[in-house]
Amino acid sequence: MKSSTLPAVLAAGLTQHVATARKFWTNSVGDLGNIIQSAYPIGNGKQAGLPLGIPGNDLVPINHDSLWRGGPFATKNYNGGNPKESVAHFLPGIQDDIFKNGQGNQDALYGNMDDYGSYELMANLTVSIAGIKEYSDYRRGLDLETAVHTVSYTANGARFNTTQFCSYPDKVCVYHIESNKALPEITAAITDTYRSRPKSVVECTANGTHLSGLTESNQDEPNIGMEFHALLSALDLKRTRQECNSDDHVVIPAGSTTSVTFVLASDTQYDQKRGGADSNYSFRGDHPRPAVEKTVADVRRRSYRDILSRHVKDFKSLSNLFTLELPDPNNSADVDTATLLKGYTRANGDPFVESLVIDYGKYLFISSSRPGSLPPNLQGNWAAEVNPAWSSDYHIDVNVQMNNWLTEQMGLASITSPLFEFMTDTWVPRGTESARLIYNASGWVAFTNLNIFGHTGQGDDATWSNVYHDPAWMMATVWDHYDYTRDVQWYKTMGYPLIKGIAEFWLDLLVEDKHFNDGTLVANPCNSPEHGPTTFGCAQFQQVVWEVFDHVISGWDASGDTDQNFLKRVKETFAKLDDGVHIGKWGQIQEWKIDQDVQGDEHRHLSHLNGWFPGYVIAAKYAENETVHDAVVTSLISRGDGTKDSNTGWEKTLRAACWARAGNVTNAYDEFKYTIDENFAPNLFSVYSPPSKVFQIDANFGQSAAGLAMLITDLPQLAGDTSTHKVTLGPAIPKQWAGGRVKGLRLRGGGSVDFSWNNDGVVDKVSLHGRSLPIKILDKNGKVLHG
């Protein structure tokens, strides 16, 4: 383990200079052999890039959010993994067996993963500057406030500065080069060396260099793959002479200019709105080339400075909604970011790095989720290969949920629409079929793994696939959007229909417990995610379904629903529902209704503590119950620090958030630091399980959420609770963050709060903004700061 000493000034407890950590920089070139851990990411929601900043021969892997193989683009017979005919008649026998024996199997309900597909890298943007072999004074950086990536160096007696960004307003990625001398010959290309069946086509015209391709389809159904198109061109064709070479690359002749700007537009024929039965679940839209050419034609009406200005203004309008300032006791802002990460230790931490990590999650979300895009997947939008781990898909057994825990509190509500539209357009249509074919139930359902083609069938291993409560868990994200924004129109038209569909499903699925015969309603069959047997009454199932019914009741007046019979049925079921909170023989929160938890089992998931964090059935319903609180702590201790089982980043940051909600500053901060020390690469991308190079973005977003959990506890109010809403500020702020401050942290019920804290991490100054509903704000010691 790396070690260092605590800065003397912190040890003395003196107030530190605070700083907003908003920039990455390094004196090292990106590593072609390890792109995913060395490149600094850029993106505009639909497009994403990983510029390496290689002098003279740069390479930028380019992604487009909807470029997937598989589904109806692999076979015309794709059915979303659902069984070909109903298997619901097996369910009663499965349930009887499980109630009788305490566990069983539900293999008869399996679907399939046929033609599931994968997210893919689109191509590589390459930019060559002739004659550069040696260079000096090198630096590359990424500004998290403006989303502008820059590279500068000296070569052949000239100074070169390059700038890269992906603009949401103009729907292009930009690569700009300028020098203090006339530029040598510049060659730019967009290349696809990955696909061979069929091979992509490159064509250079006066308009630029075009890349056209198809994703791979099944061998007996050739050429039905997804079409994609990209166009790379110099921006100002009146000022810049653009030629084509024999390889169909764009060439800017030597000596013709001191600066050149390339723009890259891309698109696919994927159409999310054509994923329902009325479109035969085809997802097949228009040919992408015309739209790409129009995008480039439109952007050519603007200058580079105008495009850059529009991009920066747009990005800052989001990145500055929430800011965190922490001490910089080591003057870390002046240190190479890769060096900072290498020297960062769990033992000592570094508030500057921690602030940078929290802000980075916000940056990544803004860069990968914009109106009209898909929501961030397992790797956000950044995949440097055509076969990323787990297909870079949408896992909803913790990962997609974690991707969104930061959004509302950081003020990013305006860019969360991709997730809600994705659920509505791709989960609900096939999920309605899944509910009927598998369970003969109303509403809709889905399981752990989802692609962009409406895969809602169950996989073929109950341990990870029999988790059909996951959509109910996703409804917490839906409710949060309403709870923070109080956008009634959105709730009526988008949020509530999603929640109601899930509630309808569970009204049909819950059954009376015939094992304990206690009169409660439970899920059967169920599996706790990736852990334990197929049984009944799994804690996480019960807890998230309880919260769904609580949402229905709490939000009834806002829903616009007039179906009183539905509300009556929800309330009656809610009254009999087992809430999934049971204390076991060694004082733990049970993961299953049958008390079978093994003390010292350090499994990565904390499924039984979902109602503690990120949920609230434990934290709010049992807020005054010390026995339950102690059981949560006992369970957290037993589960360990997130090392033994997979050593992932997301399991550590989840533990940090749970400890923060418990008000345990020491353990929360320790886990927070451990996540960075163990699972963050030199470019601060989270590493799934070191020493692997697998990138999984959930821990990046989760670490921001854990930081927020250390800054605030703001729980949903239970249905029927008419008391003044209470919020605790600074439940787990460590002394190492002495003198820090926050601006723009959003609150449930609307409005935001700015606050700062003293050298002991106790909040002492508060300013409330835009709040109309009553609120009481407390510090961690219970002192009333407002209201």
Side-chain angles (χ1 to χ4, degrees):
M1 178 64 68
K2 299 167 283 188
S3 64
S4 61
T5 57
L6 186 68
V9 67
L10 264 186
L14 301 178
T15 301
Q16 299 301 299
H17 166 69
V18 295
T20 307
R22 310 291 289 273
K23 294 182 179 179
F24 292 2
W25 69 271
T26 181
N27 294 131
S28 301
V29 176
D31 182 359
L32 269 172
N34 190 9
I35 295 171
I36 205 66
Q37 293 188 354
S38 63
Y40 293 157
I42 55 176
N44 61 15
K46 279 185 171 291
Q47 296 174 292
L50 290 166
L52 289 168
I54 303 172
N57 288 288
D58 202 7
L59 182 141
V60 185
I62 297 292
N63 293 104
H64 195 94
D65 66 340
S66 59
L67 185 57
W68 269 70
R69 67 176 180 270
F73 296 93
T75 175
K76 295 176 182 177
N77 298 317
Y78 184 67
N79 72 345
N82 281 325
K84 292 181 173 62
E85 57 187 26
S86 177
V87 294
H89 57 282
F90 292 112
L91 185 60
I94 291 170
Q95 292 173 329
D96 289 345
D97 184 58
I98 288 174
F99 277 139
K100 179 181 178 181
N101 300 306
Q103 57 184 267
N105 80 74
Q106 55 94 69
D107 299 2
L109 305 182
Y110 284 160
N112 64 80
M113 302 296 290
D114 297 346
D115 300 299
Y116 181 79
S118 177
Y119 186 52
E120 294 186 349
L121 173 69
M122 175 175 277
N124 289 322
L125 165 63
T126 60
V127 180
S128 300
I129 304 175
I132 294 181
K133 299 185 182 303
E134 296 182 357
Y135 56 89
S136 60
D137 300 324
Y138 179 89
R139 181 166 173 149
R140 65 183 170 105
L142 176 65
D143 189 318
L144 302 184
E145 182 182 15
T146 64
V148 174
H149 181 275
T150 55
V151 180
S152 60
Y153 55 89
T154 299
N156 299 336
R159 189 67 179 165
F160 292 87
N161 297 287
T162 74
T163 304
Q164 299 81 31
F165 58 92
C166 293
S167 164
Y168 174 71
D170 289 305
K171 307 299 186 285
V172 293
C173 291
V174 176
Y175 194 110
H176 178 76
I177 308 168
E178 60 184 49
S179 177
N180 59 350
K181 295 184 179 181
L183 288 170
E185 182 179 87
I186 310 291
T187 304
I190 182 158
T191 61
D192 175 8
T193 59
Y194 306 99
R195 295 173 184 86
S196 59
R197 200 172 59 83
K199 187 176 181 180
S200 295
V201 176
V202 177
E203 173 195 10
C204 189
T205 69
N207 202 27
T209 183
H210 297 256
L211 176 71
S212 302
L214 284 175
T215 58
E216 184 176 323
S217 57
N218 292 346
Q219 290 189 358
D220 59 346
E221 298 180 75
N223 300 321
I224 67 166
M226 184 187 296
E227 293 180 30
F228 63 91
H229 192 85
L231 172 58
L232 174 70
S233 177
L235 178 66
D236 187 353
L237 296 184
K238 293 180 180 178
R239 189 182 66 85
T240 305
R241 205 168 106 217
Q242 178 173 264
E243 301 174 350
C244 298
N245 67 13
S246 59
D247 295 319
D248 285 307
H249 299 167
V250 169
V251 177
I252 309 299
S256 60
T257 183
T258 58
S259 67
V260 63
T261 303
F262 295 103
V263 293
L264 190 153
S266 60
D267 204 356
T268 75
Q269 70 175 140
Y270 175 81
D271 187 342
Q272 183 174 293
K273 299 298 183 183
R274 298 184 184 181
D278 57 343
S279 298
N280 198 29
Y281 304 103
S282 73
F283 292 95
R284 195 175 294 270
D286 300 331
H287 299 297
R289 181 166 181 156
V292 169
E293 290 179 333
K294 184 179 185 304
T295 298
V296 172
D298 289 346
V299 80
R300 281 207 183 109
R301 299 190 182 106
R302 304 186 183 280
S303 68
Y304 165 69
R305 297 299 169 191
D306 186 22
I307 296 168
L308 175 62
S309 175
R310 282 160 52 85
H311 163 72
V312 170
K313 181 180 179 181
D314 165 73
F315 202 90
K316 288 176 70 173
S317 72
L318 294 166
S319 66
N320 285 330
L321 291 171
F322 168 89
T323 59
L324 169 66
E325 298 181 17
L326 295 182
D328 185 10
N330 305 318
N331 294 316
S332 295
D334 299 325
V335 180
D336 182 312
T337 306
T339 303
L340 278 180
L341 265 291
K342 186 176 181 180
Y344 185 92
T345 68
R346 179 184 188 179
N348 297 307
D350 182 338
F352 180 86
V353 173
E354 291 143 20
S355 178
L356 195 64
V357 165
I358 292 170
D359 204 68
Y360 193 34
K362 178 181 65 177
Y363 169 85
L364 292 170
F365 194 86
I366 299 170
S367 299
S368 59
S369 179
R370 291 299 193 100
S373 77
L374 293 173
N377 59 42
L378 277 182
Q379 294 189 193
N381 278 354
W382 296 276
E385 55 184 301
V386 293
N387 294 301
W390 297 286
S391 300
S392 195
D393 68 357
Y394 296 89
H395 275 45
I396 58 170
D397 61 345
V398 70
N399 314 93
V400 174
Q401 288 89 338
M402 186 176 285
N403 284 5
N404 291 274
W405 290 343
L406 61 88
T407 56
E408 302 296 336
Q409 290 179 315
M410 285 189 165
L412 303 180
S414 66
I415 59 171
T416 57
S417 58
L419 176 65
F420 306 128
E421 291 174 1
F422 186 59
M423 286 193 233
T424 300
D425 295 337
T426 75
W427 298 6
V428 174
R430 285 285 196 192
T432 301
E433 287 190 358
S434 298
R436 176 177 54 81
L437 289 169
I438 303 172
Y439 303 107
N440 193 28
S442 307
W444 63 277
V445 73
F447 299 83
T448 302
N449 300 67
L450 292 112
N451 56 20
I452 67 169
F453 308 121
H455 178 98
T456 55
Q458 188 181 170
D460 56 4
D461 184 335
T463 304
W464 55 263
S465 69
N466 182 38
V467 285
Y468 56 102
H469 69 301
D470 284 346
W473 188 5
M474 287 299 306
M475 293 307 101
T477 304
V478 175
W479 177 256
D480 282 350
H481 185 72
Y482 169 68
D483 206 15
Y484 281 93
T485 66
R486 296 303 168 106
D487 185 338
V488 173
Q489 183 60 28
W490 176 88
Y491 190 64
K492 286 181 178 179
T493 58
M494 177 71 74
Y496 178 71
L498 287 167
I499 291 175
K500 184 175 183 179
I502 293 299
E504 288 174 328
F505 173 81
W506 283 103
L507 288 174
D508 285 354
L509 254 289
L510 291 166
V511 291
E512 188 171 331
D513 184 341
K514 296 299 184 182
H515 183 88
F516 289 106
N517 294 308
D518 58 6
T520 63
L521 298 175
V522 294
N524 180 2
C526 66
N527 279 77
S528 199
E530 301 178 322
H531 193 214
T534 299
T535 180
F536 70 94
C538 302
Q540 192 180 56
F541 273 70
Q542 303 298 140
Q543 291 171 16
V544 299
V545 174
W546 189 95
E547 291 183 11
V548 165
F549 290 155
D550 191 58
H551 300 331
V552 171
I553 299 167
S554 292
W556 184 255
D557 291 342
S559 72
D561 197 344
T562 59
D563 186 350
Q564 291 296 322
N565 288 332
F566 170 70
L567 179 61
K568 180 174 181 287
R569 191 179 175 202
V570 168
K571 288 182 175 180
E572 290 173 348
T573 302
F574 191 44
K576 295 191 292 182
L577 179 65
D578 188 312
D579 65 10
V581 184
H582 299 275
I583 298 176
K585 55 182 176 290
W586 45 275
Q588 85 285 9
I589 298 292
Q590 292 176 206
E591 189 164 356
W592 304 272
K593 191 165 184 180
I594 294 176
D595 189 355
Q596 57 189 334
D597 302 74
V598 176
Q599 192 166 12
D601 175 1
E602 298 189 20
H603 192 267
R604 58 193 176 277
H605 282 275
L606 300 178
S607 303
H608 51 318
L609 301 183
N610 191 83
W612 181 252
F613 185 95
Y616 64 96
V617 60
I618 302 176
K621 184 179 179 183
Y622 296 95
E624 306 302 322
N625 191 316
E626 290 187 12
T627 302
V628 172
H629 183 278
D630 290 345
V632 169
V633 171
T634 296
S635 293
L636 278 171
I637 293 171
S638 177
R639 271 299 207 257
D641 64 5
T643 305
K644 286 188 178 180
D645 179 23
S646 300
N647 196 26
T648 69
W650 66 260
E651 64 183 301
K652 296 182 184 69
T653 198
L654 177 55
R655 284 158 171 77
C658 284
W659 282 118
R661 185 154 287 183
N664 190 314
V665 180
T666 300
N667 288 358
Y669 188 42
D670 178 63
E671 282 285 352
F672 188 86
K673 291 183 295 181
Y674 185 35
T675 309
I676 299 172
D677 187 10
E678 185 73 7
N679 291 94
F680 276 62
N683 65 351
L684 271 75
F685 268 168
S686 59
V687 182
Y688 178 76
S689 184
S692 80
K693 294 180 181 179
V694 174
F695 163 50
Q696 196 164 291
I697 204 169
D698 42 26
N700 284 110
F701 295 135
Q703 194 74 339
S704 298
L708 291 167
M710 295 163 73
L711 295 169
I712 189 170
T713 299
D714 186 5
L715 301 174
Q717 288 188 259
L718 302 174
D721 180 2
T722 59
S723 65
T724 298
H725 186 59
K726 293 180 181 178
V727 169
T728 299
L729 296 182
I733 296 174
K735 292 182 178 179
Q736 289 84 345
W737 292 4
R741 53 182 173 257
V742 164
K743 291 184 179 180
L745 202 161
R746 266 53 180 182
L747 299 166
R748 292 184 185 275
S752 66
V753 64
D754 305 339
F755 58 96
S756 57
W757 51 90
N758 63 23
N759 288 353
D760 293 322
V762 179
V763 173
D764 54 8
K765 293 180 182 179
V766 173
S767 178
L768 193 62
H769 305 279
R771 180 78 181 190
S772 57
L773 295 175
I775 190 170
K776 181 178 285 188
I777 300 177
L778 313 172
D779 72 10
K780 65 181 179 182
N781 298 317
K783 179 181 177 181
V784 177
L785 301 171
H786 178 90

PDB file of all heavy atoms in Angstrom, residues 260-272:
ATOM      1  N   VAL A 260      -6.591  25.158 -38.841  1.00  0.00           N
ATOM      2  CA  VAL A 260      -7.615  24.415 -39.566  1.00  0.00           C
ATOM      3  C   VAL A 260      -8.543  23.759 -38.550  1.00  0.00           C
ATOM      4  O   VAL A 260      -8.108  23.339 -37.469  1.00  0.00           O
ATOM      5  CB  VAL A 260      -6.994  23.346 -40.499  1.00  0.00           C
ATOM      6  CG1 VAL A 260      -6.223  22.293 -39.702  1.00  0.00           C
ATOM      7  CG2 VAL A 260      -8.061  22.682 -41.354  1.00  0.00           C
ATOM      8  N   THR A 261      -9.794  23.703 -38.908  1.00  0.00           N
ATOM      9  CA  THR A 261     -10.798  23.089 -38.040  1.00  0.00           C
ATOM     10  C   THR A 261     -11.502  21.974 -38.799  1.00  0.00           C
ATOM     11  O   THR A 261     -11.998  22.192 -39.908  1.00  0.00           O
ATOM     12  CB  THR A 261     -11.845  24.124 -37.590  1.00  0.00           C
ATOM     13  OG1 THR A 261     -11.194  25.213 -36.942  1.00  0.00           O
ATOM     14  CG2 THR A 261     -12.850  23.491 -36.637  1.00  0.00           C
ATOM     15  N   PHE A 262     -11.538  20.802 -38.194  1.00  0.00           N
ATOM     16  CA  PHE A 262     -12.292  19.684 -38.754  1.00  0.00           C
ATOM     17  C   PHE A 262     -13.545  19.467 -37.908  1.00  0.00           C
ATOM     18  O   PHE A 262     -13.497  19.567 -36.671  1.00  0.00           O
ATOM     19  CB  PHE A 262     -11.466  18.399 -38.760  1.00  0.00           C
ATOM     20  CG  PHE A 262     -10.266  18.447 -39.651  1.00  0.00           C
ATOM     21  CD1 PHE A 262      -8.996  18.623 -39.121  1.00  0.00           C
ATOM     22  CD2 PHE A 262     -10.397  18.321 -41.027  1.00  0.00           C
ATOM     23  CE1 PHE A 262      -7.886  18.666 -39.940  1.00  0.00           C
ATOM     24  CE2 PHE A 262      -9.286  18.361 -41.858  1.00  0.00           C
ATOM     25  CZ  PHE A 262      -8.028  18.542 -41.316  1.00  0.00           C
ATOM     26  N   VAL A 263     -14.644  19.165 -38.574  1.00  0.00           N
ATOM     27  CA  VAL A 263     -15.869  18.808 -37.863  1.00  0.00           C
ATOM     28  C   VAL A 263     -16.270  17.399 -38.279  1.00  0.00           C
ATOM     29  O   VAL A 263     -16.085  17.003 -39.431  1.00  0.00           O
ATOM     30  CB  VAL A 263     -17.015  19.799 -38.149  1.00  0.00           C
ATOM     31  CG1 VAL A 263     -16.702  21.155 -37.557  1.00  0.00           C
ATOM     32  CG2 VAL A 263     -17.316  19.906 -39.631  1.00  0.00           C
ATOM     33  N   LEU A 264     -16.815  16.658 -37.328  1.00  0.00           N
ATOM     34  CA  LEU A 264     -17.229  15.284 -37.588  1.00  0.00           C
ATOM     35  C   LEU A 264     -18.666  15.115 -37.125  1.00  0.00           C
ATOM     36  O   LEU A 264     -18.987  15.319 -35.949  1.00  0.00           O
ATOM     37  CB  LEU A 264     -16.316  14.300 -36.852  1.00  0.00           C
ATOM     38  CG  LEU A 264     -16.473  12.817 -37.203  1.00  0.00           C
ATOM     39  CD1 LEU A 264     -15.180  12.069 -36.967  1.00  0.00           C
ATOM     40  CD2 LEU A 264     -17.588  12.151 -36.398  1.00  0.00           C
ATOM     41  N   ALA A 265     -19.523  14.762 -38.066  1.00  0.00           N
ATOM     42  CA  ALA A 265     -20.926  14.453 -37.758  1.00  0.00           C
ATOM     43  C   ALA A 265     -21.155  12.966 -37.967  1.00  0.00           C
ATOM     44  O   ALA A 265     -20.509  12.336 -38.813  1.00  0.00           O
ATOM     45  CB  ALA A 265     -21.862  15.262 -38.644  1.00  0.00           C
ATOM     46  N   SER A 266     -22.073  12.391 -37.213  1.00  0.00           N
ATOM     47  CA  SER A 266     -22.349  10.957 -37.344  1.00  0.00           C
ATOM     48  C   SER A 266     -23.793  10.668 -36.981  1.00  0.00           C
ATOM     49  O   SER A 266     -24.448  11.448 -36.279  1.00  0.00           O
ATOM     50  CB  SER A 266     -21.405  10.138 -36.444  1.00  0.00           C
ATOM     51  OG  SER A 266     -21.569  10.501 -35.078  1.00  0.00           O
ATOM     52  N   ASP A 267     -24.276   9.533 -37.447  1.00  0.00           N
ATOM     53  CA  ASP A 267     -25.634   9.111 -37.113  1.00  0.00           C
ATOM     54  C   ASP A 267     -25.800   7.644 -37.500  1.00  0.00           C
ATOM     55  O   ASP A 267     -24.964   7.073 -38.218  1.00  0.00           O
ATOM     56  CB  ASP A 267     -26.669   9.966 -37.836  1.00  0.00           C
ATOM     57  CG  ASP A 267     -28.019   9.982 -37.121  1.00  0.00           C
ATOM     58  OD1 ASP A 267     -28.173   9.271 -36.114  1.00  0.00           O
ATOM     59  OD2 ASP A 267     -28.923  10.712 -37.581  1.00  0.00           O
ATOM     60  N   THR A 268     -26.881   7.044 -37.007  1.00  0.00           N
ATOM     61  CA  THR A 268     -27.253   5.678 -37.383  1.00  0.00           C
ATOM     62  C   THR A 268     -28.723   5.694 -37.807  1.00  0.00           C
ATOM     63  O   THR A 268     -29.420   6.702 -37.638  1.00  0.00           O
ATOM     64  CB  THR A 268     -27.096   4.685 -36.219  1.00  0.00           C
ATOM     65  OG1 THR A 268     -28.166   4.878 -35.277  1.00  0.00           O
ATOM     66  CG2 THR A 268     -25.757   4.873 -35.510  1.00  0.00           C
ATOM     67  N   GLN A 269     -29.208   4.568 -38.296  1.00  0.00           N
ATOM     68  CA  GLN A 269     -30.621   4.509 -38.680  1.00  0.00           C
ATOM     69  C   GLN A 269     -31.513   4.024 -37.536  1.00  0.00           C
ATOM     70  O   GLN A 269     -32.718   3.811 -37.727  1.00  0.00           O
ATOM     71  CB  GLN A 269     -30.817   3.616 -39.905  1.00  0.00           C
ATOM     72  CG  GLN A 269     -30.597   2.143 -39.679  1.00  0.00           C
ATOM     73  CD  GLN A 269     -30.920   1.292 -40.892  1.00  0.00           C
ATOM     74  OE1 GLN A 269     -30.216   0.365 -41.189  1.00  0.00           O
ATOM     75  NE2 GLN A 269     -31.984   1.616 -41.614  1.00  0.00           N
ATOM     76  N   TYR A 270     -30.935   3.872 -36.348  1.00  0.00           N
ATOM     77  CA  TYR A 270     -31.726   3.463 -35.187  1.00  0.00           C
ATOM     78  C   TYR A 270     -32.775   4.525 -34.881  1.00  0.00           C
ATOM     79  O   TYR A 270     -32.488   5.716 -34.818  1.00  0.00           O
ATOM     80  CB  TYR A 270     -30.812   3.282 -33.982  1.00  0.00           C
ATOM     81  CG  TYR A 270     -31.529   2.965 -32.688  1.00  0.00           C
ATOM     82  CD1 TYR A 270     -31.934   1.666 -32.410  1.00  0.00           C
ATOM     83  CD2 TYR A 270     -31.776   3.958 -31.740  1.00  0.00           C
ATOM     84  CE1 TYR A 270     -32.581   1.363 -31.214  1.00  0.00           C
ATOM     85  CE2 TYR A 270     -32.422   3.670 -30.547  1.00  0.00           C
ATOM     86  CZ  TYR A 270     -32.825   2.372 -30.286  1.00  0.00           C
ATOM     87  OH  TYR A 270     -33.460   2.069 -29.112  1.00  0.00           O
ATOM     88  N   ASP A 271     -34.006   4.080 -34.676  1.00  0.00           N
ATOM     89  CA  ASP A 271     -35.096   4.986 -34.335  1.00  0.00           C
ATOM     90  C   ASP A 271     -35.832   4.404 -33.132  1.00  0.00           C
ATOM     91  O   ASP A 271     -36.598   3.442 -33.247  1.00  0.00           O
ATOM     92  CB  ASP A 271     -36.044   5.161 -35.515  1.00  0.00           C
ATOM     93  CG  ASP A 271     -37.099   6.245 -35.260  1.00  0.00           C
ATOM     94  OD1 ASP A 271     -37.310   6.613 -34.092  1.00  0.00           O
ATOM     95  OD2 ASP A 271     -37.708   6.704 -36.236  1.00  0.00           O
ATOM     96  N   GLN A 272     -35.603   4.991 -31.982  1.00  0.00           N
ATOM     97  CA  GLN A 272     -36.192   4.500 -30.739  1.00  0.00           C
ATOM     98  C   GLN A 272     -37.716   4.526 -30.781  1.00  0.00           C
ATOM     99  O   GLN A 272     -38.377   3.696 -30.137  1.00  0.00           O
ATOM    100  CB  GLN A 272     -35.681   5.379 -29.593  1.00  0.00           C
ATOM    101  CG  GLN A 272     -36.141   4.980 -28.215  1.00  0.00           C
ATOM    102  CD  GLN A 272     -35.465   5.818 -27.148  1.00  0.00           C
ATOM    103  OE1 GLN A 272     -34.259   5.723 -26.951  1.00  0.00           O
ATOM    104  NE2 GLN A 272     -36.228   6.657 -26.469  1.00  0.00           N
TER     105      GLN A 272
END
